[in-house]
Amino acid sequence: NNRLRKDKRLRTDNPPGDKLQTFKATGPAEEAETIVDRIQGLLGEGADLSQIAIFYRAHWLSRAIEQVLKEKGIPYDIVGGLSFFERREIKDLLAYLRVLVNPLDDVSMERIVNVPPRGLGKQSIEKLRGLAQQHGMSLREAVAVPELHAGLSAKAKKSLSQLAFTLETAQQNSVHKGAHGALATILEGTEYLNYATGLGDPEDIAREENIQELVSDVVTFDEDIGEGLAGYLQHVSLLTSADRGADDGPRVQMMTVHAAKGLEFDHVFVAGLEEGVFPSMRALDDKDGVEEERRLMYVALTRGRRTLFLSCARERMVAGQMERMQPSRFWREIPADCVETWQAVWHSFEAEGGGDAEWSV
């Protein structure tokens, strides 16, 4: 389907093999549950865990799948990246949330007191910490006491005043508006998103997408569980603790499609095959960009030796807002005789006739 391509014929000496399996989920949670359910099925059939790989177009798509893998006790590695909650921008924002729940958490407060930069050098932070200890205060409490800021620059004094106001407002909002209210206040009051996406390196876009996914996760938690900010932080703690003490045995390999170039696995899953996700939203405005995305899709499709599982979601939360999605054009371009629909036992969406016209492949 690309205009700019070299004509070629590819052949194999292998037998025809299995058809591509496709699954249309109602949302990312169901998509993740189905992928992990299929992985468990493969393991039951004797598959090697290290020969199972999950691909996605962008790092933020890993969060929902990671969560289910952890819940099911299936070890995994993020190839060429970090686990969602270990990414720098996510750890920064979680540190902001932790000091709201525990004002005595000096470790978290030290992480964010000058992030984004507030004109506080290392010596200024040491001085402020020392004054806090002298007065029997935590670092967060000292930030809110202007009398302890003598000797700091005018910029630092103003920034600390703004930080104290933001933290106080976020703490109040966490009571009435849950974890999402707190996070939204932090993002607005600190302008953290502008900071994280203005560092001028290739990861600016990835950081923005990760922050948007954190917002979506917090909104979903508030709506589905509703245990407030402390409950959300406990939820994250349980997820991250699952990474500790894991053995060095075989693991599912998770990675972006870019990281998959040159690799092969017996069993490959490609998640998030929706318009605006794969191909990415930024590529949709550029014909050459779409062709490059299609070449990337070809990379994904040719990494699997034995089985290939493609999935998309009918709805996906983006930056806290639920959006209706359409299957990727790349999915629709695969010849119909090459695919078969995967039907999980518990899945009822297709059986109910809920597939809209744009969801027929």
Side-chain angles (χ1 to χ4, degrees):
N1 289 281
N2 272 3
R3 295 177 297 106
L4 304 175
R5 61 182 297 273
K6 293 182 179 179
D7 192 36
K8 64 185 78 71
R9 293 186 64 186
L10 304 180
R11 64 183 185 275
T12 178
D13 294 329
N14 291 333
D18 297 341
K19 290 187 176 183
L20 285 66
Q21 296 173 326
T22 60
F23 179 75
K24 295 176 284 186
T26 55
E30 186 179 64
E31 179 185 44
E33 288 279 357
T34 303
I35 289 172
V36 176
D37 179 65
R38 181 64 189 125
I39 289 174
Q40 290 179 314
L42 289 170
L43 294 177
E45 297 164 11
D48 181 346
L49 197 62
S50 65
Q51 282 300 314
I52 299 174
I54 304 171
F55 300 160
Y56 32 79
R57 178 62 182 84
H59 283 294
W60 64 271
L61 290 159
S62 75
R63 185 200 57 78
I65 303 171
E66 285 188 67
Q67 179 170 331
V68 180
L69 287 170
K70 289 174 180 177
E71 290 171 353
K72 302 295 184 180
I74 298 177
Y76 66 89
D77 276 332
I78 302 287
V79 178
L82 297 170
S83 177
F84 182 80
F85 289 108
E86 292 301 317
R87 293 165 193 166
R88 172 180 151 188
E89 59 277 9
I90 302 303
K91 292 177 76 171
D92 285 348
L93 291 171
L94 289 177
Y96 271 104
L97 297 179
R98 288 193 180 99
V99 299
L100 303 182
V101 172
N102 180 12
L104 303 181
D105 186 350
D106 278 357
V107 173
S108 293
M109 193 64 199
E110 285 185 27
R111 181 184 181 95
I112 53 90
V113 69
N114 199 41
V115 177
R118 298 187 171 92
L120 290 166
K122 190 173 182 179
Q123 290 184 340
S124 296
I125 295 175
E126 289 285 348
K127 181 179 180 181
L128 188 60
R129 184 195 298 114
L131 289 170
Q133 292 175 347
Q134 289 178 21
H135 290 79
M137 297 179 180
S138 68
L139 187 56
R140 183 198 161 178
E141 291 170 327
V143 164
V145 181
E147 291 77 14
L148 299 183
H149 305 166
L152 298 179
S153 67
K155 177 184 177 181
K157 291 178 181 179
K158 182 178 179 180
S159 296
L160 289 179
S161 175
Q162 177 62 35
L163 175 60
F165 176 78
T166 298
L167 292 175
E168 180 61 31
T169 305
Q171 188 166 15
Q172 293 173 4
N173 286 341
S174 71
V175 175
H176 305 292
K177 300 179 182 179
H180 177 230
L183 180 58
T185 303
I186 292 297
L187 286 171
E188 180 180 358
T190 64
E191 298 185 348
Y192 185 88
L193 183 60
N194 290 338
Y195 159 72
T197 58
L199 297 180
D201 61 44
E203 293 301 309
D204 279 355
I205 294 173
R207 283 189 288 270
E208 179 178 7
E209 293 172 338
N210 288 335
I211 292 169
Q212 290 176 341
E213 179 64 9
L214 179 65
V215 172
S216 295
D217 188 41
V218 168
V219 169
T220 300
F221 182 87
D222 280 344
E223 292 177 350
D224 294 348
I225 301 177
E227 293 180 353
L229 178 56
Y232 179 73
L233 291 174
Q234 184 176 21
H235 160 76
V236 171
S237 179
L238 290 172
L239 289 177
T240 53
S241 66
D243 292 332
R244 304 185 187 113
D247 58 40
D248 295 325
R251 295 163 175 258
V252 170
Q253 303 297 295
M254 297 181 65
M255 68 194 79
T256 64
V257 181
H258 275 110
K261 292 179 179 179
L263 303 178
E264 288 185 353
F265 302 89
D266 287 346
H267 309 282
V268 167
F269 296 79
V270 185
L273 283 174
E274 300 117 31
E275 286 290 292
V277 178
F278 196 2
S280 70
M281 188 65 71
R282 291 173 177 83
L284 294 179
D285 297 328
D286 180 1
K287 288 183 179 180
D288 291 341
V290 171
E291 295 213 348
E292 180 58 35
E293 292 281 293
R294 187 176 283 110
R295 285 188 282 270
L296 199 56
M297 177 67 171
Y298 183 78
V299 169
L301 296 181
T302 53
R303 301 306 92 193
R305 296 191 188 98
R306 294 178 55 191
T307 68
L308 183 63
F309 190 102
L310 310 178
S311 61
C312 60
R314 182 178 64 173
E315 294 181 332
R316 195 175 290 277
M317 189 169 285
V318 180
Q321 299 292 323
M322 190 63 72
E323 294 189 7
R324 186 64 176 261
M325 313 300 289
Q326 293 186 12
S328 169
R329 67 190 67 192
F330 304 149
W331 176 314
R332 300 195 300 267
E333 290 170 1
I334 299 172
D337 60 353
C338 293
V339 302
E340 63 183 10
T341 301
W342 170 259
Q343 188 68 49
V345 174
W346 47 268
H347 183 62
S348 61
F349 173 60
E350 296 290 342
E352 292 169 354
D356 295 343
E358 74 269 20
W359 277 83
S360 59
V361 176

